[in-house]
């Protein structure tokens, strides 16, 4: 069983929407209140408040503020958990100190278990029932629908969504071929067979439209908080237009990525890409002439969505029962290596053709096709047993993998993992073998 997320658009009636706004406001208040509690207790009394401390305060809190009773205790706990996660990230040094959230932009709330909501659907449209609210019309479609587990209500860009996690066993058809890939900026994907998929046109078209929209926005009076200037209505309108265009390109890209990755998986059972550290690749140039050039390259790398292609191929191949491997780019150097004789030929970014420097070989091929072939050849050279290990670990990561001993060491991230950890701990104590857990 894997965990997949399905998002449905909600169509509440006017009365329901008012209620949803009210609940979102209350959750925002609770988030900020929990933040204040932690901060003040620490600053004034040097006391660290943890999640359980706050959770135990909830019944008393609801006595004082009865309007929170309608929300359901689990959703309130989930909101406190959001505060806890924000602080854990801060303590680990991953992000800054958690900040107060504006009520106007607060995203929503979560039903962390099956209580308080029910999705009446078989995976295509339907109704979402929330307790104390009634049923809301819901539209959307998912590939596999079995056992819904959690539900998050999200308000974004004036629209309501239900983001539901589903436990399911996704089924996908898998081909028999083996293929190597090379990702690039001009041709987005090059296959070892010589086929190329060029960068989609909507990206360039979207850039033009976005440029126009940004220019229109610049010419209007924007907000200036320091001087207390409010944005003009025209600016707000132009801003909305720009953000709409950005979202459109994002959707188009997502759709395109799904199409190409599904197509690749449906034809092949062994897919080989390369390890790309997109964050390092798109690092800003510090200064100098190359700054603009590098910014353009970065945009071009990000616009294709390199990182997403790898992720999608990985989970889709796992669903289909195939393998997706990534060659170690640094060690292997697929662009420089010859697919025939394995010799290295240094190249710059502008050399589009691979001509092998080995006098005996002199293999000549398109640079990207050669790289894709090198990737494929590398994967074939790997032992089959290591493939199985790779694939097993890949499927583990897909689900929210509970109960594995490695997970117990990590800080629990969701309500469910928290519960699983508690269960595992008590189980271990019953068995009288708590050491085992630590050792894993
Ligand atoms: Zn060669």
């Amino acid at each position: 069983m894997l965990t997949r997320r399905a998002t449905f658009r909600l169509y509440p009636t006017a009365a329901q929407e008012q209620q949803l706004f009210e609940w979102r406001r209350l959750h925002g208040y609770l988030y900020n209140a929990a933040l204040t509690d932690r901060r003040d207790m620490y600053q004034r009394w040097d006391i660290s408040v943890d999640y359980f401390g706050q959770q135990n305060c909830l019944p008393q809190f609801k006595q004082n503020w009865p309007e929170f009773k309608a929300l359901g205790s689990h959703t309130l706990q989930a909101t406190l958990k959001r505060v806890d996660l924000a602080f854990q990230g801060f303590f680990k040094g991953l992000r800054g100190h958690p900040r107060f959230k504006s009520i106007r932009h607060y995203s929503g709330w979560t039903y962390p278990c099956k209580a308080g909501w029910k999705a009446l659907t078989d995976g295509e449209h339907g109704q979402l029932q929330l307790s104390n609210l009634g049923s809301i019309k819901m539209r959307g479609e998912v590939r596999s629908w079995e056992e819904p587990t959690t539900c998050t209500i999200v308000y974004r860009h004036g629209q309501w969504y239900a983001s539901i996690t589903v436990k399911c066993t996704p089924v996908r058809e898998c081909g028999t071929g083996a293929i190597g890939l090379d990702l690039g900026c001009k041709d987005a994907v090059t296959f070892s067979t010589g086929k190329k998929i060029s960068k989609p046109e909507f990206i360039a078209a979207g850039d033009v439209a976005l440029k126009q929209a940004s220019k229109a926005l610049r010419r209007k009076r924007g907000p200036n908080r320091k001087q207390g200037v409010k944005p003009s209505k025209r600016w707000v309108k132009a801003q909305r237009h720009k953000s709409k265009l950005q979202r459109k390109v994002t959707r188009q890209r997502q759709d395109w990525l799904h199409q190409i990755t599904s197509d690749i998986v449906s034809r092949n059972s062994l897919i080989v890409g390369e390890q790309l550290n997109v964050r390092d690749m798109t690092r800003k140039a510090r200064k100098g002439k190359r700054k603009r050039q590098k910014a353009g390259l970065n945009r071009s790398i990000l616009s294709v969505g390199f990182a997403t292609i790898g992720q999608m191929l990985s989970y889709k191949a796992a669903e289909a029962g195939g393998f997706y491997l990534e060659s170690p780019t640094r060690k292997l150097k697929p662009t420089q290596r010859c697919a025939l004789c394995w010799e290295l030929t240094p190249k710059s970014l502008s050399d589009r053709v691979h001509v092998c420097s080995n006098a005996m070989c002199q293999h000549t091929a398109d640079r990207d096709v050669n790289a894709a072939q090198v990737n494929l050849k590398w994967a074939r050279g790997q032992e089959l047993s290591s493939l199985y290990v790779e694939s097993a670990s890949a499927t583990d990561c897909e689900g929210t993998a509970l109960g594995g001993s490695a997970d117990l060491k990590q800080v629990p991230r969701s309500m469910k993992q928290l519960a699983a950890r508690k269960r595992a701990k008590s189980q271990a104590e019953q068995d009288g073998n708590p050491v085992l857990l630590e050792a894993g």
Side-chain angles (χ1 to χ4, degrees):
M1 284 291 236
L2 300 174
T3 306
R4 290 281 179 268
R5 184 171 287 283
T7 307
F8 294 87
R9 170 115 184 250
L10 297 178
Y11 293 87
T13 62
Q16 285 172 335
E17 187 166 33
Q18 211 178 356
Q19 186 68 267
L20 287 174
F21 273 127
E22 174 68 11
W23 285 2
R24 184 181 72 126
R25 189 174 63 87
L26 292 177
H27 277 287
Y29 282 152
L30 180 66
Y31 185 96
N32 288 339
L35 198 58
T36 318
D37 177 39
R38 287 203 182 214
R39 191 193 60 180
D40 288 358
M41 288 301 270
Y42 183 73
Q43 283 180 352
R44 289 195 195 153
W45 314 102
D46 214 14
I47 296 173
S48 307
V49 180
D50 67 346
Y51 168 75
F52 291 105
Q54 293 194 323
Q55 187 194 319
N56 293 338
C57 292
L58 271 179
Q60 183 62 43
F61 181 80
K62 279 190 283 186
Q63 290 290 324
N64 296 345
W65 312 97
E67 62 267 38
F68 281 88
K69 279 182 188 166
L71 302 185
S73 50
H74 288 109
T75 64
L76 297 178
Q77 288 173 10
T79 299
L80 290 182
K81 192 68 205 162
R82 285 187 186 189
V83 182
D84 188 45
L85 286 179
F87 269 98
Q88 276 174 15
F90 169 60
F91 293 146
K92 278 190 209 156
L94 297 175
R95 62 195 75 151
H97 192 280
R99 289 163 64 173
F100 293 107
K101 299 216 175 200
S102 102
I103 302 296
R104 269 180 68 194
H105 297 114
Y106 196 73
S107 71
W109 65 95
T110 302
Y111 295 89
C113 56
K114 286 174 189 172
W117 67 286
K118 201 171 179 188
L120 304 177
T121 174
D122 53 356
E124 195 183 337
H125 314 315
Q127 304 270 328
L128 180 73
Q129 279 183 346
L130 299 180
S131 60
N132 298 326
L133 191 85
S135 72
I136 305 173
K137 199 175 128 195
M138 171 168 98
R139 276 183 69 83
E141 211 179 324
V142 287
R143 277 181 70 85
S144 24
W145 180 266
E146 275 165 53
E147 191 193 344
T149 44
T150 74
C151 173
T152 303
I153 306 289
V154 182
Y155 179 70
R156 193 186 296 143
H157 307 301
Q159 290 164 352
W160 291 93
Y161 297 93
S163 177
I164 300 174
T165 53
V166 188
K167 262 194 180 169
C168 56
T169 330
V171 184
R172 200 178 271 277
E173 301 232 325
C174 183
T176 50
I179 205 162
L181 310 175
D182 181 70
L183 304 180
C185 294
K186 191 165 151 279
D187 296 304
V189 188
T190 308
F191 297 102
S192 54
T193 52
K195 196 187 151 202
K196 290 181 174 194
I197 297 178
S198 55
K199 193 169 157 179
E201 280 169 14
F202 63 79
I203 289 180
D207 274 351
V208 173
L210 205 61
K211 232 173 191 172
Q212 280 176 352
S214 309
K215 192 170 183 182
L217 186 68
R218 275 203 305 280
R219 290 179 166 190
K220 297 180 172 68
R221 193 190 69 201
N224 188 335
R225 267 202 198 151
K226 278 182 190 161
Q227 292 168 12
V229 180
K230 278 191 178 175
S232 69
K233 278 187 181 163
R234 286 159 175 244
W235 185 90
V236 173
K237 202 174 158 191
Q239 166 69 36
R240 218 172 276 152
H241 178 62
K242 185 185 161 190
S243 123
K244 205 173 172 181
L245 287 175
Q246 280 170 328
R247 272 179 276 142
K248 184 175 179 188
V249 177
T250 311
R251 281 199 308 273
Q252 284 175 319
R253 183 186 306 131
Q254 202 73 6
D255 179 45
W256 175 73
L257 288 172
H258 272 301
Q259 281 180 20
I260 58 166
T261 50
S262 294
D263 186 54
I264 294 170
V265 172
S266 70
R267 289 160 201 266
N268 302 288
S269 56
L270 175 65
I271 303 155
V272 194
E274 52 185 334
Q275 272 173 9
L276 295 173
N277 192 338
V278 176
R279 185 181 281 182
D280 283 353
M281 279 161 69
T282 55
R283 194 161 278 165
K284 277 184 189 167
R286 289 226 179 77
K287 54 183 168 185
K289 273 187 205 164
R290 302 221 156 222
K291 194 168 178 181
R292 293 192 73 168
Q293 202 181 346
K294 184 68 172 73
L297 182 64
N298 288 350
R299 205 178 307 126
S300 150
I301 292 171
L302 290 171
S303 70
V304 178
F306 278 0
T308 327
I309 291 181
Q311 284 165 7
M312 282 184 176
L313 283 174
S314 150
Y315 87 80
K316 287 182 180 177
E319 280 178 9
F323 302 106
Y324 171 69
L325 298 178
E326 289 188 335
S327 67
T329 315
R330 286 270 171 88
K331 227 165 86 188
L332 187 70
K333 299 192 175 72
T335 358
Q336 299 181 21
R337 206 169 284 280
C338 173
L340 281 187
C341 67
W342 224 239
E343 195 71 32
L344 287 173
T345 313
K347 287 191 199 71
S348 75
L349 204 65
S350 57
D351 297 335
R352 302 312 307 171
V353 180
H354 166 80
V355 181
C356 186
S357 62
N358 187 344
M360 298 290 286
C361 169
Q362 295 204 333
H363 175 54
T364 312
D366 183 89
R367 165 209 173 98
D368 295 331
V369 175
N370 176 64
Q373 285 168 350
V374 170
N375 282 335
L376 183 59
K377 205 171 173 185
W378 166 84
R380 287 206 161 125
Q382 297 290 304
E383 282 188 23
L384 215 69
S385 59
S386 68
L387 288 186
Y388 281 102
V389 173
E390 189 104 7
S391 115
S393 67
T395 37
D396 271 2
C397 298
E398 283 305 316
T400 27
L402 302 173
S405 47
D407 282 292
L408 292 167
K409 280 187 182 172
Q410 287 174 3
V411 183
R413 296 192 59 83
S414 69
M415 301 286 291
K416 212 165 98 192
Q417 284 171 339
L418 201 74
R421 183 171 147 155
K422 271 190 201 163
R423 268 201 302 277
K425 219 172 184 178
S426 65
Q427 189 71 42
E429 275 161 15
Q430 270 177 20
D431 297 347
N433 192 9
V435 192
L436 194 81
L437 288 167
E438 299 300 322

